Amino acid sequence: MKFGIVTFPGSNGDYDAYQSVVEGLGEKAVYLWHKDHDLQHVDVVILPGGFSYGDYLRAGAIARFSPIMREVVAHAERGAPVLAICNGFQIACEAGLLPGALLRNASLKFVCAPVSLRVENASSNFTSAYGANQLITLPIAHGDGRYSADEETLDRLEGDGRVAFRYAPDALQAAESYNPNGSMRDIAGILNAGGNVLGMMPHPERAIDSVLGSADGLPIIESILHRVAA
Amino acid sequence: MTVTARPGDPAITPALVAEHGLTSDEYDRLVAMLGRTPTFTELGIVSALWSEHCSYKHSRPLLKTLPTTAPYVLQGPGENAGVIAIGHGLAIAFKIESHNHPSAVEPYQGAATGVGGILRDVFTMGARPIALLNSLRFGSLDSARVRYLFAGCVKGIGDYGNCVGIPTVAGEVVFDPAYEGNPLVNAMCVGLLKEEELMLAVAQGVGNPIIAVGARTGRDGIHGASFASEDLSDASEAKRPRVQVGDPFTEKLLLEASLELIHSGHIVAIQDMGAAGLVSSSAEMAARGDVGVVIDTLKVPAREEGMSPYELLLSESQERMLVVARVGREDHVRAILEKWDLTAAVIGEVIAEPVYRVVEGDRVVAEFPGIRLVTDCPMYTPEARESDDIKRRRAENVHAIAERAEEANPMWTLLELLASPTIASKRWVYQQYDHTVRTGTVVGPGGDAAVVRIRHTDTAIALKTDCNGRYAFLDPREGARIAVAEAARNVACTGGRPMAITNNLNFGNPKRPEVYYQLKEAVAGMGEACLALGTPVTGGNVSLYNENPAGAVYPTPVVGMVGLIDSLAHVTRSHFSTDGDSIVLLGNNTDEIGASEYLQRIHNVVAGAPPHCDLAAERALIDALLQAIQAGVVRSAHDCADGGLAVALAECVMMDRATPTGAHVDLTHWAGLPVRALLFGEAQARVVVSTPDPDAVLASAAEHGVPAAIIGTVGAASGLLSMRIGERQLTVSVAELADTYHEAIPRIMQRSASAQDVALASDSVV
Amino acid sequence: MTRYRVAVHVVPRRGLLDPQGKAVADALHTLGFAGVASVHVGRHLVLEIDAHSESDAREQTSNMCGRLLANPVTEDFEIASVSAV
Amino acid sequence: MTRYRVAVHVVPRRGLLDPQGKAVADALHTLGFAGVASVHVGRHLVLEIDAHSESDAREQTSNMCGRLLANPVTEDFEIASVSAV
Ligand SMILES: Nc1ncnc2c1ncn2[C@@H]1O[C@H](COP(=O)(O)OP(=O)(O)O)[C@@H](O)[C@H]1O
Ligand SMILES: [Mg+2]
């Protein structure tokens, strides 16, 4: 299986995504340059975290016009998997691959911390290796992670089981402080209608080795592997 | 070649010379070097290169006394960053730098550009930055202006490092009225490289082109030239900005492009354009290579029209690099930069003639003989005399200070200390820093040192900055020794062998004898400690003239320590984790309370001698601790620093908020000491260890001659930290400790949910 | 071709949480500006563009807003002014 | 007391680097808007405040800008409009 990780100018999670695939799973990965038009026959595209174009104007707004994004959109339209993490999620929303938008954190501050998440849909292409309602811990690191969409969209996402992850209190967190960015309905990650695009603010690629505190991100990549191999 | 004044340049008058900060002796020296009157451009060049910041004219003679060598030191002071070998053919480049004055004016941009500058210092060495640290000093958080400076600096540091994608993994923040009006913002960067890829900033090869790379040059931060902008311009330009605005996005591109350039073999040298911009980078590279250079300012890509050579040479616009390429490789260099959407312009050349020459098209506007421009800079050794006030303070009998009524319950005192912003958790700060990017951070901020793994090996590095300015104020030599010792101890607590340091000397005006005394003593103390602990100095930075209306800031010799952990299995955390573990104190308790946070916070007193720093004892402690860690018998290790033993124990039970524990401790053995000294005194060379095998820990200690004792047991069930001292039984709930420690700073910052904070929030682009 | 200066306002769509506006309003109250009832924060863009006419400048800008300058999901835009420079 | 709506523009001071404006201008060029000569990005604030008169509203706003809404070191502000609501 071959993963393609897009490098936009200002991406900085591309390296971590690459390492998570290569070191974490022993699978093949290539970097895809934003100016290229060729996806190099990858099976899975990862839109990584970072600050594409400095996040100037709006996070993800400029990157969505990169030449490679046309191919990524076509790849997604073919039903092939796209994992969009953090800045990648912002880009995917701007590009219309996913509904809604990611706005400035309600605290107005960048926040880097481990957060606890509940797996809301444990049967998707990206989450089948988790148990239903499993609580996991992943790191977040973002300033613009407040997921927002109109009520109708939110209802549809929930109704169709397209909310993949939600921020959720763990045993030690006060109920009022578990949502780190004010996102609507505590949404941390969503799927597109076809179930082949996952956008999420937390960083699974930073949680693939318990030496770094958590390996809870690994099942996402494992899920993709199973699904695509099947 | 004949140097000619540019039409419109002001005449060189004594007033103009003075406005450029040159003394009349310095000016005479310049005239003697040139054999004629300088041009305006030349005066500007020299004012920048001979400024304290570039020339170290008041500190170099002192810095020369510092130990700088060890078999693993690949590059000592003098380059953009120091470099040490860490095995496996790998090396670490690291350096610290201050941005105090810019941050006082414009905290967000000042701190941000400080991070930008230190990143460039490290990646010009051919190293990929893998970690950032910062050491911050502010006045009291009771002031709205201080809260603004604090919030702004933290946000600036965060936004810049986060965007470039380098984890900020450790640091320190101290609040003390001594820093009111003159905050200290020191940023440290650590990079990883292959030994053979080490790149130096030494110009060489006659005919090699000199290339300006990165952002265009604007009129920002033209050094020492505030007056000139008014004299030379119309009213609108009088507002010419002196602050620099950082662009971390461009920095990220510059980082990738620079590393690619270095690895391409197309270039021979690279240096960032930092303080005094183009002129200092080109002059320093030429001086290191002992070659001549010529720069044509008309070829420098400018952001604005009509910039003069003076302005182009002295501008401190950010995110620029100067490269010496191999002749004929210009197009290759350009291609690499274009890939990263950056520009490159050939602006000069290495020449055989031993001169530093600046031309503007056909006109020579400045020319200096050889490398004397850099090497002929004046050096000063001013008078040093200790202030009587400080002598008096140090001699004060602090034991005579009466206890406050509330101190009848020492747990009240403990909670007060934990609520002190200097001691309280800095989570409010480091939560705004991405510390997990690059997936190397094994131990992030919140414990003692940070630990960053070295991929493809089983090793890791341990990193920490430290300095207690109050100690250095009351005794600069002892204070500097302690700064080194504390940093080393913090590194050792995580399992790291202290290897080398970088340092940032933040002092006042060196022309005042009492300040120069502090500088001299501090450097001496730092040298002694580095020698004793085997941690040479590989570089650093000096920031003088840190003064506020009330006088100089505390002398603050910040130490940035790098240690090596030889196996990930030895990475050790600070907090207790396991019920039933024994608690062992390595080191001994004393009756010292001088210069303590206790006196400051509880009695508002800054007096007494700082605790004695016995370097042999520190070294033995580190050896014993590392031996025990490597033997696998240490579950946690946390050193005693600000707030003493009681604060250290409290931190051990609740610094990791997600998994609080508890402990029962018996300190009866020291019942003869004053309780406040035992609990809150800051005696050095002490570490609190938790262990499943206390005998093994005690044996390691004995082997190295380190006093050690079992003082208690870890136990979460009670939810208490309890301490027995003879007949006295002191208890406090862990929940209360945790709430006090973790919420102190958020509560203060919330109280001001502030004006300031909001201005920042709406300000920043990220 | 003439050069025009065009000012554009991009504002968060009404009804969306505006934490920035709220924080500014709170801060103004703290500073003693009691009369402040509400604050909204948006972006103010000033473009200099070459166009054939004022209406061409306006149309170009409107296109730019549609494609890049405003997010149609969360923001509204308005061309505040167009003037030759 | 009357309620006024006041619009304020806060823009980066001229001569200071405006990386955001530059990134947006570059992006517009890439999108084919060749006529774009420059872009500057600032903030657009809309305040509703209670004041005795239009000139009072203006003066209050000007104070707020001086104290909070604009960064005196890096930004300039301008009161774009004041109108009773
Ligand atoms: N400015 C900062 N940036 C990042 N981490 C910080 C900062 N200030 C403090 N920390 C982290 O908080 C923890 C406690 O710091 P400090 O009180 O200086 O520790 P110590 O007393 O062990 O020297 C450390 O992990 C330190 O790295
Ligand atoms: Mg410590």
Side-chain angles (χ1 to χ4, degrees), chain B residues 30 70 108-109 154 215 217 230 246 288 331 408 453 502 505 579 595 610 657 724 751 753:
Chain B
L30 167 60
Y108 179 82
Q109 295 294 348
V154 167
T217 302
E230 277 139 28
R288 288 198 200 101
D331 288 344
R453 67 169 164 175
T502 179
L505 301 171
D579 276 5
R657 201 169 191 185
R724 168 187 295 281
R751 135 155 57 105

PDB file of all heavy atoms in Angstrom, chain B residues 30 70 108-109 154 215 217 230 246 288 331 408 453 502 505 579 595 610 657 724 751 753:
ATOM      1  N   LEU B  30      38.633  54.986  14.160  1.00  0.00           N
ATOM      2  CA  LEU B  30      38.084  54.768  12.821  1.00  0.00           C
ATOM      3  C   LEU B  30      38.858  55.589  11.783  1.00  0.00           C
ATOM      4  O   LEU B  30      39.258  55.083  10.729  1.00  0.00           O
ATOM      5  CB  LEU B  30      36.596  55.158  12.822  1.00  0.00           C
ATOM      6  CG  LEU B  30      35.903  55.293  11.467  1.00  0.00           C
ATOM      7  CD1 LEU B  30      35.956  53.979  10.689  1.00  0.00           C
ATOM      8  CD2 LEU B  30      34.433  55.711  11.668  1.00  0.00           C
ATOM      9  N   ALA B  70      36.078  20.296  24.862  1.00  0.00           N
ATOM     10  CA  ALA B  70      35.892  18.915  25.313  1.00  0.00           C
ATOM     11  C   ALA B  70      36.068  18.105  24.042  1.00  0.00           C
ATOM     12  O   ALA B  70      35.915  18.649  22.939  1.00  0.00           O
ATOM     13  CB  ALA B  70      34.506  18.704  25.907  1.00  0.00           C
ATOM     14  N   TYR B 108       4.800  41.178  21.019  1.00  0.00           N
ATOM     15  CA  TYR B 108       4.460  40.083  20.102  1.00  0.00           C
ATOM     16  C   TYR B 108       5.533  39.938  19.026  1.00  0.00           C
ATOM     17  O   TYR B 108       6.132  38.869  18.857  1.00  0.00           O
ATOM     18  CB  TYR B 108       3.083  40.340  19.477  1.00  0.00           C
ATOM     19  CG  TYR B 108       2.683  39.269  18.505  1.00  0.00           C
ATOM     20  CD1 TYR B 108       2.122  38.078  18.966  1.00  0.00           C
ATOM     21  CD2 TYR B 108       2.895  39.413  17.139  1.00  0.00           C
ATOM     22  CE1 TYR B 108       1.774  37.068  18.077  1.00  0.00           C
ATOM     23  CE2 TYR B 108       2.556  38.406  16.247  1.00  0.00           C
ATOM     24  CZ  TYR B 108       1.996  37.237  16.730  1.00  0.00           C
ATOM     25  OH  TYR B 108       1.668  36.233  15.852  1.00  0.00           O
ATOM     26  N   GLN B 109       5.799  41.017  18.310  1.00  0.00           N
ATOM     27  CA  GLN B 109       6.773  40.930  17.227  1.00  0.00           C
ATOM     28  C   GLN B 109       8.191  40.792  17.768  1.00  0.00           C
ATOM     29  O   GLN B 109       9.032  40.119  17.169  1.00  0.00           O
ATOM     30  CB  GLN B 109       6.676  42.173  16.324  1.00  0.00           C
ATOM     31  CG  GLN B 109       5.357  42.298  15.577  1.00  0.00           C
ATOM     32  CD  GLN B 109       5.139  41.188  14.554  1.00  0.00           C
ATOM     33  OE1 GLN B 109       6.045  40.428  14.227  1.00  0.00           O
ATOM     34  NE2 GLN B 109       3.919  41.092  14.053  1.00  0.00           N
ATOM     35  N   VAL B 154       4.557  35.567  24.973  1.00  0.00           N
ATOM     36  CA  VAL B 154       4.229  34.141  24.872  1.00  0.00           C
ATOM     37  C   VAL B 154       3.536  33.854  23.537  1.00  0.00           C
ATOM     38  O   VAL B 154       3.876  32.890  22.835  1.00  0.00           O
ATOM     39  CB  VAL B 154       3.353  33.705  26.066  1.00  0.00           C
ATOM     40  CG1 VAL B 154       2.737  32.339  25.827  1.00  0.00           C
ATOM     41  CG2 VAL B 154       4.183  33.707  27.343  1.00  0.00           C
ATOM     42  N   ALA B 215      13.758  37.047   2.192  1.00  0.00           N
ATOM     43  CA  ALA B 215      12.883  38.213   2.108  1.00  0.00           C
ATOM     44  C   ALA B 215      13.629  39.422   1.552  1.00  0.00           C
ATOM     45  O   ALA B 215      14.851  39.504   1.597  1.00  0.00           O
ATOM     46  CB  ALA B 215      12.322  38.530   3.487  1.00  0.00           C
ATOM     47  N   THR B 217      14.646  43.446   1.495  1.00  0.00           N
ATOM     48  CA  THR B 217      15.121  44.335   2.545  1.00  0.00           C
ATOM     49  C   THR B 217      14.257  45.586   2.602  1.00  0.00           C
ATOM     50  O   THR B 217      14.083  46.273   1.590  1.00  0.00           O
ATOM     51  CB  THR B 217      16.583  44.709   2.275  1.00  0.00           C
ATOM     52  OG1 THR B 217      17.340  43.506   2.214  1.00  0.00           O
ATOM     53  CG2 THR B 217      17.134  45.602   3.366  1.00  0.00           C
ATOM     54  N   GLU B 230      15.024  60.618  10.637  1.00  0.00           N
ATOM     55  CA  GLU B 230      14.354  61.909  10.717  1.00  0.00           C
ATOM     56  C   GLU B 230      15.083  62.950   9.858  1.00  0.00           C
ATOM     57  O   GLU B 230      14.475  63.695   9.131  1.00  0.00           O
ATOM     58  CB  GLU B 230      14.259  62.368  12.170  1.00  0.00           C
ATOM     59  CG  GLU B 230      13.054  61.732  12.858  1.00  0.00           C
ATOM     60  CD  GLU B 230      13.363  61.286  14.265  1.00  0.00           C
ATOM     61  OE1 GLU B 230      14.258  61.902  14.885  1.00  0.00           O
ATOM     62  OE2 GLU B 230      12.727  60.320  14.718  1.00  0.00           O
ATOM     63  N   GLY B 246       7.813  39.802  12.007  1.00  0.00           N
ATOM     64  CA  GLY B 246       8.267  38.470  11.613  1.00  0.00           C
ATOM     65  C   GLY B 246       7.311  37.821  10.633  1.00  0.00           C
ATOM     66  O   GLY B 246       6.115  38.100  10.641  1.00  0.00           O
ATOM     67  N   ARG B 288      36.119  36.026   9.039  1.00  0.00           N
ATOM     68  CA  ARG B 288      36.428  34.639   9.402  1.00  0.00           C
ATOM     69  C   ARG B 288      37.278  33.972   8.328  1.00  0.00           C
ATOM     70  O   ARG B 288      38.129  33.149   8.623  1.00  0.00           O
ATOM     71  CB  ARG B 288      35.137  33.845   9.615  1.00  0.00           C
ATOM     72  CG  ARG B 288      34.397  34.221  10.874  1.00  0.00           C
ATOM     73  CD  ARG B 288      33.390  33.116  11.247  1.00  0.00           C
ATOM     74  NE  ARG B 288      32.371  33.650  12.150  1.00  0.00           N
ATOM     75  CZ  ARG B 288      31.146  33.999  11.787  1.00  0.00           C
ATOM     76  NH1 ARG B 288      30.742  33.809  10.537  1.00  0.00           N
ATOM     77  NH2 ARG B 288      30.305  34.497  12.653  1.00  0.00           N
ATOM     78  N   ASP B 331      23.015  29.537 -10.902  1.00  0.00           N
ATOM     79  CA  ASP B 331      21.703  29.091 -11.376  1.00  0.00           C
ATOM     80  C   ASP B 331      21.152  27.941 -10.542  1.00  0.00           C
ATOM     81  O   ASP B 331      19.946  27.834 -10.326  1.00  0.00           O
ATOM     82  CB  ASP B 331      21.779  28.681 -12.850  1.00  0.00           C
ATOM     83  CG  ASP B 331      21.938  29.908 -13.745  1.00  0.00           C
ATOM     84  OD1 ASP B 331      21.676  31.030 -13.235  1.00  0.00           O
ATOM     85  OD2 ASP B 331      22.332  29.750 -14.909  1.00  0.00           O
ATOM     86  N   ALA B 408       2.400  29.984  61.271  1.00  0.00           N
ATOM     87  CA  ALA B 408       2.209  28.957  62.287  1.00  0.00           C
ATOM     88  C   ALA B 408       1.788  27.655  61.622  1.00  0.00           C
ATOM     89  O   ALA B 408       2.107  26.575  62.102  1.00  0.00           O
ATOM     90  CB  ALA B 408       1.151  29.417  63.290  1.00  0.00           C
ATOM     91  N   ARG B 453      13.865  12.749  21.546  1.00  0.00           N
ATOM     92  CA  ARG B 453      14.587  11.573  21.079  1.00  0.00           C
ATOM     93  C   ARG B 453      15.335  11.864  19.783  1.00  0.00           C
ATOM     94  O   ARG B 453      14.953  12.744  19.006  1.00  0.00           O
ATOM     95  CB  ARG B 453      13.625  10.405  20.869  1.00  0.00           C
ATOM     96  CG  ARG B 453      12.653  10.635  19.735  1.00  0.00           C
ATOM     97  CD  ARG B 453      11.907   9.346  19.389  1.00  0.00           C
ATOM     98  NE  ARG B 453      10.741   9.667  18.572  1.00  0.00           N
ATOM     99  CZ  ARG B 453       9.950   8.754  18.024  1.00  0.00           C
ATOM    100  NH1 ARG B 453      10.172   7.480  18.208  1.00  0.00           N
ATOM    101  NH2 ARG B 453       8.912   9.122  17.304  1.00  0.00           N
ATOM    102  N   THR B 502      25.055  26.729  26.397  1.00  0.00           N
ATOM    103  CA  THR B 502      25.088  28.029  25.755  1.00  0.00           C
ATOM    104  C   THR B 502      24.593  28.983  26.831  1.00  0.00           C
ATOM    105  O   THR B 502      24.000  28.554  27.815  1.00  0.00           O
ATOM    106  CB  THR B 502      24.180  28.042  24.504  1.00  0.00           C
ATOM    107  OG1 THR B 502      24.218  29.327  23.901  1.00  0.00           O
ATOM    108  CG2 THR B 502      22.743  27.716  24.857  1.00  0.00           C
ATOM    109  N   LEU B 505      23.931  36.329  28.761  1.00  0.00           N
ATOM    110  CA  LEU B 505      24.249  37.216  29.877  1.00  0.00           C
ATOM    111  C   LEU B 505      23.404  38.479  29.762  1.00  0.00           C
ATOM    112  O   LEU B 505      23.654  39.325  28.910  1.00  0.00           O
ATOM    113  CB  LEU B 505      25.739  37.558  29.850  1.00  0.00           C
ATOM    114  CG  LEU B 505      26.672  36.347  29.948  1.00  0.00           C
ATOM    115  CD1 LEU B 505      28.117  36.759  29.701  1.00  0.00           C
ATOM    116  CD2 LEU B 505      26.536  35.666  31.308  1.00  0.00           C
ATOM    117  N   ASP B 579       2.294   3.783  43.879  1.00  0.00           N
ATOM    118  CA  ASP B 579       2.072   3.591  45.313  1.00  0.00           C
ATOM    119  C   ASP B 579       3.085   2.623  45.897  1.00  0.00           C
ATOM    120  O   ASP B 579       3.389   1.596  45.291  1.00  0.00           O
ATOM    121  CB  ASP B 579       0.663   3.020  45.546  1.00  0.00           C
ATOM    122  CG  ASP B 579      -0.373   4.129  45.577  1.00  0.00           C
ATOM    123  OD1 ASP B 579       0.011   5.288  45.326  1.00  0.00           O
ATOM    124  OD2 ASP B 579      -1.553   3.827  45.844  1.00  0.00           O
ATOM    125  N   ALA B 595      18.097  34.756  50.119  1.00  0.00           N
ATOM    126  CA  ALA B 595      17.813  34.924  48.689  1.00  0.00           C
ATOM    127  C   ALA B 595      16.683  34.034  48.185  1.00  0.00           C
ATOM    128  O   ALA B 595      16.514  33.862  46.985  1.00  0.00           O
ATOM    129  CB  ALA B 595      19.075  34.660  47.854  1.00  0.00           C
ATOM    130  N   PRO B 610      22.821  33.841  48.840  1.00  0.00           N
ATOM    131  CA  PRO B 610      22.189  32.676  48.208  1.00  0.00           C
ATOM    132  C   PRO B 610      22.794  31.400  48.764  1.00  0.00           C
ATOM    133  O   PRO B 610      23.876  31.431  49.342  1.00  0.00           O
ATOM    134  CB  PRO B 610      22.519  32.850  46.722  1.00  0.00           C
ATOM    135  CG  PRO B 610      23.608  33.852  46.647  1.00  0.00           C
ATOM    136  CD  PRO B 610      23.555  34.676  47.891  1.00  0.00           C
ATOM    137  N   ARG B 657      -1.057  16.708  36.315  1.00  0.00           N
ATOM    138  CA  ARG B 657      -2.393  16.910  36.840  1.00  0.00           C
ATOM    139  C   ARG B 657      -3.314  15.722  36.588  1.00  0.00           C
ATOM    140  O   ARG B 657      -4.253  15.481  37.336  1.00  0.00           O
ATOM    141  CB  ARG B 657      -2.993  18.165  36.224  1.00  0.00           C
ATOM    142  CG  ARG B 657      -4.096  18.671  37.074  1.00  0.00           C
ATOM    143  CD  ARG B 657      -4.583  20.012  36.705  1.00  0.00           C
ATOM    144  NE  ARG B 657      -5.450  20.455  37.789  1.00  0.00           N
ATOM    145  CZ  ARG B 657      -6.125  21.565  37.758  1.00  0.00           C
ATOM    146  NH1 ARG B 657      -6.019  22.368  36.725  1.00  0.00           N
ATOM    147  NH2 ARG B 657      -6.905  21.906  38.759  1.00  0.00           N
ATOM    148  N   ARG B 724       5.847  14.663  58.592  1.00  0.00           N
ATOM    149  CA  ARG B 724       6.085  14.662  60.024  1.00  0.00           C
ATOM    150  C   ARG B 724       7.466  15.265  60.265  1.00  0.00           C
ATOM    151  O   ARG B 724       8.428  14.937  59.577  1.00  0.00           O
ATOM    152  CB  ARG B 724       6.033  13.229  60.574  1.00  0.00           C
ATOM    153  CG  ARG B 724       6.544  13.093  61.990  1.00  0.00           C
ATOM    154  CD  ARG B 724       6.618  11.635  62.412  1.00  0.00           C
ATOM    155  NE  ARG B 724       5.298  11.041  62.462  1.00  0.00           N
ATOM    156  CZ  ARG B 724       4.434  11.210  63.471  1.00  0.00           C
ATOM    157  NH1 ARG B 724       4.787  11.945  64.518  1.00  0.00           N
ATOM    158  NH2 ARG B 724       3.258  10.646  63.458  1.00  0.00           N
ATOM    159  N   ARG B 751      -8.308  37.245  35.325  1.00  0.00           N
ATOM    160  CA  ARG B 751      -8.736  38.460  36.024  1.00  0.00           C
ATOM    161  C   ARG B 751      -8.594  39.631  35.073  1.00  0.00           C
ATOM    162  O   ARG B 751      -9.351  40.569  35.072  1.00  0.00           O
ATOM    163  CB  ARG B 751      -7.886  38.589  37.291  1.00  0.00           C
ATOM    164  CG  ARG B 751      -7.351  39.984  37.560  1.00  0.00           C
ATOM    165  CD  ARG B 751      -7.043  40.238  39.035  1.00  0.00           C
ATOM    166  NE  ARG B 751      -6.099  39.327  39.664  1.00  0.00           N
ATOM    167  CZ  ARG B 751      -4.837  39.666  39.952  1.00  0.00           C
ATOM    168  NH1 ARG B 751      -4.361  40.844  39.617  1.00  0.00           N
ATOM    169  NH2 ARG B 751      -4.056  38.798  40.564  1.00  0.00           N
ATOM    170  N   ALA B 753      -8.694  39.404  31.786  1.00  0.00           N
ATOM    171  CA  ALA B 753      -9.108  38.826  30.490  1.00  0.00           C
ATOM    172  C   ALA B 753      -9.193  39.903  29.476  1.00  0.00           C
ATOM    173  O   ALA B 753     -10.229  40.404  29.112  1.00  0.00           O
ATOM    174  CB  ALA B 753     -10.453  38.132  30.599  1.00  0.00           C
TER     175      ALA B 753
END
